[in-house]
């Protein structure tokens, strides 16, 4: 079977790892199409190298621009590639512009679309991601949803239940596999007390990953843990902070309120791997320099996945507006404060691990201090089952696709 994947940003790369591994492991032909929406080394290439993903067959190189221009360029590029490659199915993941472009183009060419992480709804149509995920769901044939709640969202929109498959979220696959690798490496460093050893993840690969050897990039390029992150991991009371949503970082008042809250959290060490969008707007609004002067705030460049997983796992709290981080926090049993007023991940709030603090300065500060002084939060989280599954989503997705292909449903001419 010939399976094409369109991806373009950091979270899509991470969340497609287990699907790509399964495609290669099972001997299917993979056509990997990178739109080039994220292009900095820290936002794209470092993940291909560190997670041993095959180099994309195509990179459309769209770069940064307005939504219409960016999506239009993606569509043009994807159409040309799909016409040439004629895959049996196209997979997209999540809610970025790549998802919109890929799903729309493939459906018009009558190529079946599988939407990984389908069915999420924030019901906030001002978010570009809500538009993208809804439009992609109109164009899809297979809905790989993480939870029962997302399945219900789709049913309510008239999607037939037979096309909806509850698989869990592939982020759990990525999190489990790579945290194990990262922790093993830290143990090795502690045992050898030589932090400068370069780290080759293939030494710790599980069987599905090691089958990837024929397609994996040169493993000597694999990441090493920087001394910077090793030192940060020794700190107490860590908050991992990330943000990049347009509604927070492009709005001066909201961004200022959030930064003011961060500056008040003196009892914490705040580690902030900063998204390029956020760095640019903080600099433009004159917010970067003052924050960077605070001793307990560590502004660093975006981290590789292994470093970042370790950082999250050593954190007391995760403060974020990221979708993926809300899920990873739950998976690692770390409470999160989400810098939004709604979420398409309500499961995280319902199980008691996520508080929607918005951009409300006092609420952010009070919630962080409450968690610092109330350890029962962690006990509650560790007892609750993970709503996003057991880390086998990639396998389930491939089982479903193969089954459908056997039945002759997953073809251009079916
Ligand atoms: C995009 C996705 C968002 C996802 C996020 C993951 C859409 C509409 N948005 O948002 O859903 O959560 O990725 O991180 O698809 N930039 C760089 N270098 C890069 C990439 C971006 O400097 O490699 C800067 C550029 O100034 C750019 C800005 O960041 O204009 C925003 O990038 P863009 O890809 O448009 O949106 P994200 O905020 O990254
Ligand atoms: N991430 C990472 N390094 C970082 C910040 C995030 O590897 O410095 C990972 C994180 O673990 C998660 C994904 O990037 O898997 C989330 O990406 P982002 O927040 O950009 O996008 P979203 O999930 O909001 O779409």
């Amino acid at each position: 079977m010939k399976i094409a994947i369109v991806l373009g940003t950091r979270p899509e790369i991470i969340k497609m790892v287990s699907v790509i591994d399964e495609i290669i492991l099972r001997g299917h032909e993979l056509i990997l199409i990178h739109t080039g929406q994220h292009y900095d080394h820290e936002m794209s290439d470092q993940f291909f190298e560190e997670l041993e993903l095959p180099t994309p067959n195509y990179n459309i190189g769209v770069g940064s621009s307005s939504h219409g221009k960016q999506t239009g360029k993606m569509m043009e590029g994807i159409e040309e590639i799909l016409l040439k490659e004629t895959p049996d199915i196209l997979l997209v993941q999540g809610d970025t512009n790549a998802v919109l472009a890929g799903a729309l183009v493939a459906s018009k060419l009558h190529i079946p679309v599988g939407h990984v992480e389908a069915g999420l709804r924030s019901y906030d149509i001002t978010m570009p991601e809500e538009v993208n995920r809804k439009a992609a769901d109109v164009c899809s044939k297979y809905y790989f949803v993480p939870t029962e709640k997302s399945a219900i969202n789709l049913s309510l929109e008239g999607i037939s239940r037979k096309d909806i498959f509850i698989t869990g979220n592939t982020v759990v696959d990525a999190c489990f596999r790579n945290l194990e690798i990262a922790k093993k490496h830290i143990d090795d460093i502690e045992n050898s007390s030589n932090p400068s050893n370069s780290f080759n993840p293939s030494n710790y690969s599980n069987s599905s990953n090691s089958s990837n050897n024929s397609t994996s990039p040169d493993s000597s390029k694999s990441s090493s843990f920087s001394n910077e992150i090793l030192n940060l991991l020794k700190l107490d009371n860590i908050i991992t902070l990330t943000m990049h949503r347009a509604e927070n970082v492009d709005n001066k008042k909201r961004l200022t309120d959030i930064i003011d809250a961060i500056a008040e959290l003196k009892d914490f060490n705040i580690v902030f791997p900063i998204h390029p969008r956020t760095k640019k707007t903080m600099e433009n609004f004159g917010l970067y320099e003052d924050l960077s002067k605070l001793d307990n705030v560590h502004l660093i460049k975006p981290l590789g996945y292994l470093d970042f997983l370790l950082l999250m796992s050593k954190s007391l709290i995760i403060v974020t507006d990221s979708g993926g981080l809300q899920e990873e926090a739950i998976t690692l049993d770390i409470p999160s404060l989400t810098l939004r007023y709604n979420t398409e991940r309500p499961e995280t709030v319902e199980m008691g691990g996520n508080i929607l603090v918005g951009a409300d300065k006092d609420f952010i500060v009070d919630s962080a201090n409450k968690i610092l002084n109330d350890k029962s939060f962690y006990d509650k989280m560790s007892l609750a089952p993970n709503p996003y599954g057991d880390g086998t989503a990639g396998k389930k997705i491939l089982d479903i696709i193969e089954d459908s292909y056997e039945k002759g449903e997953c073809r251009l001419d079916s």
Side-chain angles (χ1 to χ4, degrees), residues 257-274:
D257 287 349
I258 293 169
I259 300 293
D260 285 351
I262 298 305
E264 278 202 18
L265 294 172
K266 302 280 182 221
D267 292 333
F268 296 89
N269 278 297
I270 292 152
V271 184
F272 185 7
I274 188 161

Side-chain angles (χ1 to χ4, degrees), residues 10-11 14 47 244-245 273 302-305 308 312 322-325 328:
R10 172 171 70 185
I14 293 168
F47 298 103
H244 67 276
R245 296 265 158 235
L303 292 171
Y305 195 49
F308 193 70
M312 282 194 292
S322 159
L325 262 78
E328 286 165 338

